[in-house]
Amino acid sequence: MQELLSVISLGSIYLLFALGLSLTWGTIDILNFAHGAIFMFATFTAYLVLGSVQLPILGVVLVGVLVGALLSLLIQVLAFEQILKRARTKRSAEMQILIGGIGIATIPLAIAQRQTKSNPFGLSESSFDVNVWQFGDVRITNVAVLTIVIGIALWAVTALWFRRSKHGLALRSIGVDSEVASLMGINRRQLALVTMAVSGGMAGLAGVLFTYTLGAITPESGDILLIKAFAIVILGGVGSMLGVAFGAFALAAVETWVLLNTSGSWTDAVAFGLIFLVLLVRPSGVFGRKEVRRA
């Protein structure tokens, strides 16, 4: 039971972070490699705010979500939209966005590294205390409970909205064929801005909860999670809400099992080896659908 709770808690963090990446990649075709920097910088901003004002966990979460959403919007308007306007083909636009995201990520990373001198930073100055609850032989923290509840609930709401709402259907149509969707009157730019804001907010939320869970993170923590989120989306299938949940908890389960049964140094190797094996058998991901093109 203790191991299961560890898997669910870690998987919920992965789910919150990877959900935003999957949402933008699977709908508006933006693979945002600055997602990890947004995750880190939203938490770093909350850390700076706590240096002046003591806030409860709700206030810290709001700071993280707002900063993450704002950063993501700025990146979309100032960088990605400009690339899309000037790119000659869709394939070249995707490549330029990928490279642009990597370049943009270095800016908040450099700021955080300069201010912290690359040392870990946390949110211990808030009024929220991390408590451990004991139920028999099972221990769980209040942060883990919050992470699990928020992660699963937010995923369920997003999946339901994506499948049932008018705007969710519009996003899905953009993911299938953006040109036809535009001809049908769907405002791609407006939906793209909303999607990027939601994605950035999820990254900021994941950053705050992850920092409370570990106690502290480093400016480079976002880069490590970004690689794992990329693997999660590929494993589950790009654009699949069920797939991103499967990928997040599958990766968490494999990492936990390897950590408990080995020295821990094999964690990333075994986890990504499993993903590579799945991709050899099913390149579109476990829940991904094969793309069909008709002439």
Side-chain angles (χ1 to χ4, degrees):
M1 183 60 70
Q2 186 66 61
E3 293 173 9
L4 179 61
L5 283 175
S6 298
V7 169
I8 296 174
S9 179
L10 180 61
S12 297
I13 288 289
Y14 287 169
L15 178 59
L16 275 174
F17 184 74
L19 187 58
L21 187 70
S22 177
L23 194 61
T24 58
W25 191 9
T27 55
I28 57 176
D29 288 328
I30 290 180
L31 178 54
N32 183 12
F33 263 47
H35 197 65
I38 294 172
F39 162 93
M40 179 277 299
F41 200 77
T43 309
F44 176 69
T45 304
Y47 160 75
L48 293 179
V49 171
L50 287 174
S52 304
V53 181
Q54 190 178 59
L55 296 173
I57 188 172
L58 180 59
V60 179
V61 165
L62 285 176
V63 171
V65 170
L66 290 175
V67 171
L70 181 60
L71 273 177
S72 190
L73 278 175
L74 287 175
I75 291 171
Q76 173 67 10
V77 173
L78 299 179
F80 294 162
E81 281 189 354
Q82 307 309 316
I83 290 174
L84 289 171
K85 288 178 183 178
R86 292 167 173 77
R88 295 182 179 180
T89 64
K90 181 180 177 180
R91 184 175 295 275
S92 65
E94 291 174 350
M95 183 59 65
Q96 290 173 36
I97 285 174
L98 177 64
I99 297 172
I102 296 173
I104 292 168
T106 62
I107 300 173
L109 177 62
I111 294 173
Q113 285 176 332
R114 179 178 177 81
Q115 292 297 318
T116 63
K117 297 181 179 179
S118 295
N119 292 318
F121 58 90
L123 304 172
S124 59
E125 296 299 322
S126 70
S127 59
F128 177 75
D129 293 323
V130 178
N131 298 319
V132 179
W133 297 336
Q134 185 88 25
F135 300 96
D137 295 331
V138 178
R139 293 179 301 170
I140 188 170
T141 64
N142 50 353
V143 176
V145 173
L146 277 174
T147 301
I148 293 169
V149 171
I150 292 174
I152 295 177
L154 190 58
W155 169 80
V157 170
T158 304
L160 188 63
W161 172 81
F162 194 60
R163 297 291 299 182
R164 300 292 178 85
S165 72
K166 180 180 177 181
H167 291 94
L169 292 171
L171 267 177
R172 288 167 58 196
S173 68
I174 290 175
V176 174
D177 195 320
S178 59
E179 292 183 4
V180 174
S182 298
L183 293 174
M184 295 175 66
I186 294 174
N187 190 332
R188 186 189 185 281
R189 183 176 187 271
Q190 184 179 29
L191 285 175
L193 291 175
V194 172
T195 304
M196 288 294 290
V198 170
S199 174
M202 288 179 179
L205 174 60
V208 169
L209 293 177
F210 189 63
T211 304
Y212 273 120
T213 300
L214 293 184
I217 62 172
T218 65
E220 296 80 18
S221 295
D223 297 337
I224 300 170
L225 268 183
L226 178 65
I227 297 172
K228 293 185 177 183
F230 180 71
I232 286 167
V233 176
I234 292 294
L235 176 61
V238 178
S240 171
M241 292 294 106
L242 183 59
V244 71
F246 170 81
F249 290 108
L251 183 60
V254 172
E255 286 187 350
T256 302
W257 183 87
V258 173
L259 188 62
L260 291 172
N261 292 277
T262 68
S263 62
S265 60
W266 287 90
T267 303
D268 291 340
V270 174
F272 286 100
L274 177 64
I275 293 170
F276 180 69
L277 181 63
V278 171
L279 291 180
L280 287 178
V281 178
R282 188 175 174 84
S284 59
V286 176
F287 292 95
R289 291 179 296 180
K290 293 181 179 180
E291 185 178 3
V292 177
R293 293 185 178 275
R294 296 180 174 89

